[in-house]
Amino acid sequence: MSVGHVARILEDNGIATVIIAVASFKDNLESMHLPRVLLTPFPLGRPIGFPNNKAQHIRVIKAALNRLNNVTDPKTVTTINEQYFSAPSSSK
Amino acid sequence: METLNDFKNSFQNGNRMDLNFKFFSHLTDDEAADFIEELLARLGTSLNDGRLERIAEHIVQGQTRAYSRPAKYNYEEGPFIRFRKNLSETKIALLTSTGHFLEGDDPAPLGVPNMSQQEAVNRIKEFLKEKPVLSTIPKNTPVTKLKVRHGGYDISGVQADQDTAFPLNTLSILEQQGHIGELAQFAYSFVGACSQEALKKEVQQEWVKLLKQQDVDAALLVPV
């Protein structure tokens, strides 16, 4: 898991990290003891969401970035409640 | 005669090459048969109500089952910064393993300039032995100047909309809205299917320096 290694080295050098990944990567990411991980229930290759659903992309990114200062313990992996084909409505 | 095992593997490196379903090769025969049976049942239901979410959910379940196996890297502990800055004051960089690069700045993997996506797929095992190359992408890069090549995942999603895995535009919007303090001048991308040892021992410190030079507080990382 390349990005897991990158997260560890960045965090170790004073740059806070948050990862957005598809839920299929859960086991591999959890085992790497990473600072902050947001899982999305989306198909591989589309971790931020359905193409051109900007409202969904904004919700996912905001949820991930909010973890930067909301997470107080390392190795916190959570899954966002989203539907891949959700209508492009509110960005919340 | 083609066996079920042949069928499963044909999506990864055979005549049915489709990286959306390369996970079939990681399922047992029984699991693959169950997956297909359930997929057809859900398709039948969707013919009546037009809802596709159950199909996406099923694909995600299949992918999750396929990749739920003992992890290669297990760490008992890891670094953690207690981050206390407000997001509206935070400078953020984007770094992904999606294989994006700027037009005219092709990293020429395996020494091949302008390698096609198909060649990258065919040579994925060679990529896994290679030192990763980090591409630098200015944040105001127009979509038409952004290229992607990665032999390890289906790139049709990012070709339809780069932000499905390389959310530079979404981060720019959040910067304009003041939700984040600043988006770093440069974003970064590499092909995550690479030598993990080379990544850890040969290039990571260089990458840290690149982000340090931009004086970023945090990084959003996206694997595929």
Side-chain angles (χ1 to χ4, degrees), chain B residues 14-223:
Chain B
N15 59 340
R16 295 186 184 85
M17 175 72 73
D18 183 341
L19 297 183
N20 279 317
F21 299 100
K22 72 171 186 177
F23 70 91
F24 276 1
S25 65
H26 296 287
L27 299 175
T28 66
D29 284 2
D30 284 346
E31 288 172 340
D34 288 346
F35 177 88
I36 293 167
E37 180 182 354
E38 177 65 18
L39 178 64
L40 294 176
R42 290 182 182 222
L43 280 170
T45 304
S46 293
L47 287 176
N48 299 326
D49 66 12
R51 289 187 57 236
L52 293 175
E53 194 60 35
R54 62 173 67 88
I55 307 298
E57 288 173 355
H58 186 56
I59 291 172
V60 171
Q61 287 167 10
Q63 292 173 340
T64 301
R65 175 177 290 274
Y67 294 113
S68 294
R69 52 179 187 259
K72 186 174 180 182
Y73 295 96
N74 286 283
Y75 298 108
E76 291 301 314
E77 55 187 27
F80 179 75
I81 299 166
R82 182 71 177 93
F83 193 75
R84 299 178 189 280
K85 226 171 180 178
N86 290 330
L87 280 180
S88 60
E89 300 168 349
T90 298
K91 185 172 182 178
I92 294 171
L94 173 66
L95 191 155
T96 76
S97 61
T98 51
H100 279 85
F101 57 95
L102 195 62
E103 184 180 75
D105 189 30
D106 188 333
L110 309 175
V112 180
N114 303 312
M115 179 185 282
S116 68
Q117 169 66 9
Q118 188 58 54
E119 183 174 353
V121 173
N122 294 341
R123 301 180 70 179
I124 190 64
K125 289 183 179 174
E126 294 173 70
F127 274 80
L128 294 170
K129 299 173 183 171
E130 284 283 296
K131 183 169 81 172
V133 174
L134 195 65
S135 292
T136 299
I137 300 161
K139 70 175 178 181
N140 297 322
T141 299
V143 172
T144 54
K145 299 292 184 187
L146 197 56
K147 304 297 177 187
V148 62
R149 176 184 53 233
H150 191 309
Y153 75 102
D154 174 69
I155 62 169
S156 65
V158 289
Q159 286 179 319
D161 175 7
Q162 64 169 4
D163 276 49
T164 57
F166 185 77
L168 192 59
N169 175 262
T170 307
L171 284 167
S172 292
I173 291 172
L174 293 178
E175 179 188 41
Q176 290 160 17
Q177 291 177 345
H179 188 76
I180 60 174
E182 185 179 355
L183 176 60
Q185 181 61 35
F186 298 106
Y188 302 96
S189 188
F190 69 108
V191 174
C194 63
S195 163
Q196 299 300 294
E197 290 309 302
L199 172 68
K200 289 194 290 181
K201 295 176 180 172
E202 298 179 40
V203 301
Q204 280 200 137
Q205 288 297 340
E206 296 171 25
W207 296 7
V208 169
K209 282 183 191 170
L210 283 175
L211 269 73
K212 286 278 190 184
Q213 285 168 3
Q214 292 204 69
D215 198 27
V216 301
D217 303 302
L220 175 64
L221 309 177
V222 186

Side-chain angles (χ1 to χ4, degrees), chain A residues 2 5-6 8 11 13 16 18-20 31 33 36 44 46-49 52 54 57 66 68-69 72 84-85, chain B residues 20 53 63 71 73 75-77 79 81 85 154 161 163-164 169-170 192 196 204 212 217-219 221 223:
Chain A
S2 305
H5 293 303
V6 175
R8 289 173 61 89
E11 195 93 9
N13 282 272
V18 58
I19 291 175
I20 302 176
S31 71
H33 206 107
R36 306 162 199 84
L44 285 165
R46 300 151 182 88
I48 311 300
N52 299 308
K54 186 54 68 185
H57 298 174
N66 285 339
L68 280 171
N69 45 25
T72 55
Y84 184 63
F85 290 116
Chain B
N20 279 317
E53 194 60 35
Q63 292 173 340
Y73 295 96
Y75 298 108
E76 291 301 314
E77 55 187 27
I81 299 166
K85 226 171 180 178
D154 174 69
D161 175 7
D163 276 49
T164 57
N169 175 262
T170 307
Q196 299 300 294
Q204 280 200 137
K212 286 278 190 184
D217 303 302
L221 309 177

